[in-house]
Amino acid sequence: VGKTADVEGRPGYVMTMVTREQYIRREKAISNICTSEALMALAAAVYLAAVGKGGLRRIAELCYHKAHYAARAISKLKGYSLVFDRPFFKEFAISCPLAPSKINEVLLHERIIGGLDISHMIDYGMLLCVTEMNTKQEIDRLVEILASL
Amino acid sequence: MRKHDLLPDISKPGKIGCTLPELDVPLAELPPEELLRKELELPEVSEGELVRYFTALSKMNYGVDTGFYPLGSCTMKYNPKWHEDIPRLPGFGSTHPLQAQETSIWLRSPAWMLSLSFPWPEHTVSLPAS
């Protein structure tokens, strides 16, 4: 999107170098198969403006601290360990004492959707993600169930 | 706010347009400083300013709510409003594409689709072409 000025000097915004027939020569357009990303872009713009520069950093920190809290607690459990020791943001791979599919069955029974089964890449591997949406209470409950297996 | 102001024009340091969850876990040590971004080019506005800004923009828009809308291409065609409601249903909007199939199989069930009840009863059952 380019910025320009109209004859009265007011700012105007226009899509430049977009040679799609939806925008130019519309009367001659013959192919019109496409999806609209505009609504998703609008929703993302509203979200980013609502949280702002301080809020987005704060959300990133929430994700980080909560994910690390969960990773630390799980890695202390007998049979569980972190697969990697490099810095991570909100996703981490763990090695489990039994098949991730079995663990997820139990978790589902407890109304928790478990981690992504990555045992085809890492033996007994599960990829977990914790974000600002998860409470300490939820994390503690997950850890408690994992400990009981 | 002047008519042509954009969000960065009315941005004030420290403002925020939403409430964030509390930090309820102990702090972890942050990654090395060189891995962290220093600055983000995002505006800081209050919720009221945000709502007024986008509401003002929406008034500059032309759509089926403001007048006759002849069909254009796929991106421009009229999509029933309840198509916007379905993805926002709790449990539907937060479905993860990689979550186990047995936890989302109901989403593909016609019985479930037809059991949805919408504020527009006459549109409860509709199978529009994509």
Side-chain angles (χ1 to χ4, degrees), chain A residues 29-80:
Chain A
I30 51 164
S31 72
N32 286 305
I33 298 175
C34 41
T35 51
S36 173
E37 297 85 9
L39 187 62
M40 274 79 89
L42 177 64
V46 174
Y47 173 81
L48 288 172
V51 300
K53 74 168 80 172
L56 195 63
R57 181 176 172 113
R58 179 80 184 144
I59 291 166
E61 286 172 355
L62 287 170
C63 290
Y64 183 87
H65 294 307
K66 284 169 185 258
H68 281 72
Y69 171 76
R72 210 164 36 231
I74 293 169
S75 64
K76 278 184 193 158
L77 299 177
K78 191 165 180 273
Y80 294 88

Coordinates of all heavy atoms in Angstrom, one line a residue, chain A residues 29-80:
Chain A
A29 N -12.0 -8.8 -16.9 CA -11.5 -9.9 -16.0 C -12.2 -11.2 -16.4 O -13.4 -11.3 -16.7 CB -11.8 -9.6 -14.6
I30 N -11.4 -12.2 -16.5 CA -11.9 -13.6 -16.9 C -11.7 -14.6 -15.8 O -12.3 -15.6 -15.7 CB -11.3 -14.1 -18.2 CG1 -9.8 -14.0 -18.2 CG2 -11.9 -13.4 -19.4 CD1 -9.2 -14.9 -19.3
S31 N -10.6 -14.3 -14.9 CA -10.4 -15.3 -13.8 C -10.6 -14.6 -12.5 O -10.0 -13.6 -12.2 CB -9.0 -15.9 -13.9 OG -8.1 -14.9 -13.5
N32 N -11.4 -15.2 -11.7 CA -11.8 -14.5 -10.4 C -11.7 -15.5 -9.3 O -12.6 -15.4 -8.4 CB -13.2 -13.9 -10.5 CG -13.1 -12.6 -11.4 OD1 -12.3 -11.7 -11.1 ND2 -13.9 -12.6 -12.4
I33 N -10.8 -16.4 -9.3 CA -10.7 -17.3 -8.1 C -9.6 -16.9 -7.2 O -8.5 -16.8 -7.5 CB -10.4 -18.7 -8.7 CG1 -11.6 -19.2 -9.6 CG2 -10.3 -19.7 -7.5 CD1 -11.4 -20.5 -10.2
C34 N -10.0 -16.6 -6.0 CA -9.1 -16.1 -5.0 C -9.8 -16.1 -3.6 O -10.9 -16.2 -3.5 CB -8.7 -14.6 -5.4 SG -10.1 -13.6 -5.9
T35 N -9.0 -15.9 -2.6 CA -9.5 -15.8 -1.3 C -9.3 -14.4 -0.8 O -8.3 -13.7 -1.2 CB -8.9 -16.8 -0.3 OG1 -7.5 -16.7 -0.4 CG2 -9.2 -18.2 -0.6
S36 N -10.1 -14.0 0.1 CA -9.9 -12.7 0.7 C -9.2 -12.7 2.0 O -9.6 -13.3 3.0 CB -11.2 -12.0 0.9 OG -11.0 -10.8 1.6
E37 N -8.0 -12.2 2.1 CA -7.2 -12.1 3.3 C -7.5 -10.9 4.1 O -7.0 -10.7 5.2 CB -5.7 -12.2 3.1 CG -5.2 -13.5 2.4 CD -5.4 -13.5 0.9 OE1 -5.7 -12.4 0.4 OE2 -5.2 -14.5 0.3
A38 N -8.3 -10.0 3.5 CA -8.6 -8.7 4.0 C -9.1 -8.7 5.4 O -8.7 -8.0 6.3 CB -9.5 -7.8 3.1
L39 N -10.1 -9.6 5.6 CA -10.8 -9.7 6.9 C -9.8 -10.2 8.0 O -9.8 -9.6 9.1 CB -12.0 -10.7 6.9 CG -12.8 -10.7 8.1 CD1 -13.5 -9.4 8.4 CD2 -13.9 -11.8 8.0
M40 N -8.9 -11.1 7.7 CA -7.9 -11.6 8.6 C -6.9 -10.5 8.9 O -6.5 -10.3 10.1 CB -7.2 -12.8 8.1 CG -7.9 -14.2 8.3 SD -9.2 -14.5 7.2 CE -8.3 -15.3 5.9
A41 N -6.5 -9.8 7.9 CA -5.6 -8.7 8.0 C -6.2 -7.6 8.9 O -5.5 -7.0 9.8 CB -5.2 -8.1 6.7
L42 N -7.5 -7.3 8.7 CA -8.1 -6.3 9.6 C -8.2 -6.7 11.0 O -7.9 -6.0 11.9 CB -9.6 -6.1 9.0 CG -10.4 -5.1 9.8 CD1 -9.8 -3.7 9.8 CD2 -11.8 -5.1 9.3
A43 N -8.5 -8.0 11.3 CA -8.6 -8.5 12.6 C -7.2 -8.5 13.3 O -7.1 -8.1 14.5 CB -9.1 -10.0 12.6
A44 N -6.2 -8.8 12.5 CA -4.8 -8.7 13.1 C -4.4 -7.3 13.4 O -3.8 -7.0 14.4 CB -3.8 -9.4 12.1
A45 N -4.8 -6.4 12.5 CA -4.5 -5.0 12.7 C -5.2 -4.4 14.0 O -4.5 -3.7 14.8 CB -4.9 -4.1 11.5
V46 N -6.4 -4.8 14.2 CA -7.1 -4.3 15.4 C -6.5 -4.9 16.6 O -6.3 -4.2 17.6 CB -8.6 -4.7 15.3 CG1 -9.4 -4.4 16.6 CG2 -9.3 -4.0 14.1
Y47 N -6.1 -6.2 16.6 CA -5.5 -6.9 17.7 C -4.2 -6.2 18.1 O -3.9 -5.8 19.2 CB -5.3 -8.3 17.4 CG -4.5 -9.1 18.5 CD1 -5.1 -9.5 19.6 CD2 -3.1 -9.3 18.3 CE1 -4.3 -10.2 20.6 CE2 -2.3 -9.9 19.3 CZ -3.0 -10.4 20.4 OH -2.2 -11.0 21.4
L48 N -3.3 -6.0 17.0 CA -2.0 -5.4 17.3 C -2.2 -3.9 17.8 O -1.4 -3.5 18.7 CB -1.2 -5.4 16.0 CG -0.7 -6.8 15.6 CD1 0.0 -6.7 14.2 CD2 0.3 -7.3 16.6
A49 N -3.2 -3.2 17.3 CA -3.4 -1.8 17.8 C -3.9 -1.8 19.2 O -3.6 -1.0 20.0 CB -4.3 -1.1 16.9
A50 N -4.7 -2.9 19.6 CA -5.3 -2.9 20.9 C -4.2 -3.2 21.9 O -4.2 -2.6 23.0 CB -6.4 -4.0 21.0
V51 N -3.3 -4.1 21.6 CA -2.3 -4.5 22.6 C -1.1 -3.5 22.5 O -0.5 -3.2 23.6 CB -1.8 -5.9 22.4 CG1 -2.9 -6.9 22.6 CG2 -1.1 -6.1 21.1
G52 N -0.9 -2.9 21.4 CA 0.2 -1.9 21.2 C 1.6 -2.5 21.5 O 1.7 -3.7 21.7
K53 N 2.6 -1.6 21.4 CA 4.0 -2.1 21.5 C 4.3 -2.6 22.9 O 4.9 -3.6 23.0 CB 4.9 -1.0 21.1 CG 5.1 0.1 22.1 CD 6.3 1.0 21.7 CE 6.0 1.9 20.5 NZ 7.1 2.9 20.3
G54 N 3.7 -2.0 23.9 CA 4.0 -2.5 25.3 C 3.2 -3.8 25.6 O 3.8 -4.7 26.2
G55 N 2.0 -3.9 25.1 CA 1.2 -5.0 25.3 C 1.7 -6.3 24.6 O 1.7 -7.4 25.2
L56 N 2.2 -6.1 23.4 CA 2.7 -7.3 22.7 C 3.9 -7.8 23.3 O 4.1 -9.1 23.5 CB 3.0 -6.9 21.2 CG 3.2 -8.1 20.3 CD1 1.9 -8.9 20.2 CD2 3.6 -7.7 18.9
R57 N 4.8 -6.9 23.8 CA 5.9 -7.4 24.6 C 5.5 -8.1 25.9 O 6.0 -9.2 26.2 CB 6.9 -6.2 24.9 CG 8.1 -6.8 25.6 CD 9.1 -5.7 26.0 NE 10.1 -6.4 26.8 CZ 11.3 -6.7 26.5 NH1 11.8 -6.3 25.3 NH2 12.1 -7.3 27.3
R58 N 4.5 -7.5 26.5 CA 4.0 -8.1 27.8 C 3.4 -9.5 27.5 O 3.7 -10.5 28.3 CB 2.9 -7.2 28.3 CG 2.3 -7.7 29.6 CD 3.2 -7.4 30.8 NE 2.6 -7.9 32.0 CZ 3.3 -8.4 33.0 NH1 4.6 -8.5 33.0 NH2 2.7 -8.9 34.1
I59 N 2.7 -9.7 26.4 CA 2.1 -11.0 26.1 C 3.2 -12.0 25.8 O 3.2 -13.1 26.2 CB 1.1 -10.8 24.8 CG1 -0.1 -10.1 25.3 CG2 0.7 -12.2 24.3 CD1 -1.0 -9.6 24.1
A60 N 4.2 -11.5 25.1 CA 5.4 -12.4 24.8 C 6.0 -12.8 26.1 O 6.4 -14.0 26.2 CB 6.4 -11.7 23.9
E61 N 6.2 -11.9 27.0 CA 6.8 -12.3 28.3 C 5.9 -13.3 29.1 O 6.4 -14.2 29.7 CB 7.0 -11.0 29.1 CG 8.2 -10.2 28.6 CD 8.3 -8.8 29.3 OE1 7.4 -8.5 30.2 OE2 9.3 -8.1 29.0
L62 N 4.6 -13.1 29.0 CA 3.7 -14.0 29.7 C 3.8 -15.4 29.1 O 3.9 -16.4 29.8 CB 2.2 -13.5 29.5 CG 1.8 -12.3 30.3 CD1 0.4 -11.9 29.9 CD2 1.7 -12.7 31.8
C63 N 3.9 -15.5 27.8 CA 4.1 -16.8 27.1 C 5.4 -17.4 27.6 O 5.4 -18.6 27.9 CB 4.2 -16.6 25.6 SG 2.6 -16.1 24.8
Y64 N 6.4 -16.6 27.6 CA 7.8 -17.1 27.9 C 7.8 -17.6 29.3 O 8.2 -18.7 29.6 CB 8.8 -15.9 27.7 CG 10.2 -16.3 28.0 CD1 11.0 -16.9 27.0 CD2 10.7 -16.2 29.2 CE1 12.3 -17.3 27.2 CE2 12.1 -16.6 29.5 CZ 12.8 -17.1 28.5 OH 14.1 -17.5 28.7
H65 N 7.4 -16.8 30.3 CA 7.5 -17.2 31.7 C 6.6 -18.4 32.0 O 7.0 -19.3 32.7 CB 7.1 -16.0 32.6 CG 8.1 -14.9 32.6 ND1 9.5 -15.1 32.7 CD2 7.9 -13.6 32.3 CE1 10.1 -13.9 32.6 NE2 9.2 -13.0 32.3
K66 N 5.4 -18.4 31.5 CA 4.5 -19.5 31.7 C 5.0 -20.8 31.1 O 5.0 -21.9 31.7 CB 3.1 -19.2 31.2 CG 2.3 -18.3 32.1 CD 1.0 -17.8 31.4 CE 0.3 -16.7 32.2 NZ -0.8 -17.2 33.0
A67 N 5.5 -20.7 29.9 CA 6.1 -21.9 29.2 C 7.3 -22.4 29.9 O 7.4 -23.7 30.1 CB 6.5 -21.6 27.7
H68 N 8.1 -21.5 30.5 CA 9.3 -22.0 31.2 C 8.9 -22.6 32.6 O 9.5 -23.5 33.0 CB 10.3 -20.8 31.3 CG 11.1 -20.6 30.1 ND1 10.5 -20.1 28.9 CD2 12.3 -21.0 29.8 CE1 11.4 -20.1 28.0 NE2 12.5 -20.6 28.4
Y69 N 7.8 -22.0 33.1 CA 7.3 -22.6 34.4 C 6.9 -24.0 34.2 O 7.2 -25.0 34.9 CB 6.2 -21.7 34.9 CG 5.4 -22.3 36.1 CD1 6.0 -22.3 37.4 CD2 4.2 -22.9 35.9 CE1 5.3 -22.8 38.5 CE2 3.5 -23.5 37.0 CZ 4.1 -23.4 38.3 OH 3.4 -24.0 39.3
A70 N 6.1 -24.2 33.1 CA 5.6 -25.6 32.7 C 6.8 -26.5 32.4 O 6.8 -27.7 32.9 CB 4.7 -25.5 31.6
A71 N 7.7 -26.0 31.6 CA 8.9 -26.9 31.2 C 9.7 -27.3 32.4 O 10.1 -28.5 32.5 CB 9.8 -26.1 30.2
R72 N 9.9 -26.4 33.4 CA 10.7 -26.7 34.5 C 10.0 -27.7 35.4 O 10.5 -28.7 35.9 CB 10.9 -25.4 35.4 CG 12.2 -25.4 36.1 CD 12.6 -24.0 36.6 NE 11.5 -23.2 37.0 CZ 11.3 -22.0 36.5 NH1 12.1 -21.4 35.7 NH2 10.2 -21.3 36.9
A73 N 8.6 -27.5 35.6 CA 7.9 -28.4 36.4 C 7.8 -29.9 35.8 O 8.0 -30.8 36.5 CB 6.5 -27.9 36.6
I74 N 7.6 -29.9 34.5 CA 7.5 -31.2 33.8 C 8.8 -31.9 33.8 O 8.9 -33.2 34.1 CB 7.0 -31.1 32.4 CG1 5.5 -30.6 32.4 CG2 7.0 -32.4 31.6 CD1 5.0 -30.2 31.1
S75 N 9.9 -31.2 33.6 CA 11.2 -31.8 33.5 C 11.7 -32.4 34.9 O 12.6 -33.2 35.0 CB 12.3 -30.9 33.0 OG 12.5 -29.8 33.9
K76 N 11.0 -31.9 36.0 CA 11.4 -32.4 37.3 C 10.7 -33.7 37.6 O 11.0 -34.4 38.6 CB 11.0 -31.4 38.4 CG 12.0 -30.3 38.6 CD 11.6 -29.4 39.7 CE 12.4 -28.1 39.7 NZ 11.7 -27.0 40.4
L77 N 9.7 -34.1 36.8 CA 8.9 -35.3 37.0 C 9.8 -36.5 36.6 O 10.5 -36.5 35.7 CB 7.6 -35.3 36.2 CG 6.6 -34.2 36.5 CD1 5.4 -34.3 35.6 CD2 6.2 -34.3 37.9
K78 N 9.6 -37.6 37.3 CA 10.3 -38.8 37.1 C 9.9 -39.3 35.7 O 8.7 -39.5 35.3 CB 9.9 -39.9 38.1 CG 10.8 -41.1 38.1 CD 10.6 -41.9 39.4 CE 11.5 -43.1 39.4 NZ 10.9 -44.3 38.7
G79 N 10.9 -39.6 34.8 CA 10.7 -40.1 33.5 C 10.6 -39.1 32.4 O 10.6 -39.4 31.2
Y80 N 10.3 -37.8 32.8 CA 10.2 -36.8 31.8 C 11.5 -35.9 31.7 O 12.1 -35.7 32.8 CB 9.0 -35.8 32.2 CG 7.7 -36.5 32.1 CD1 7.2 -37.1 33.2 CD2 6.9 -36.4 31.0 CE1 5.9 -37.7 33.2 CE2 5.6 -37.0 30.9 CZ 5.2 -37.7 32.1 OH 3.9 -38.3 32.0

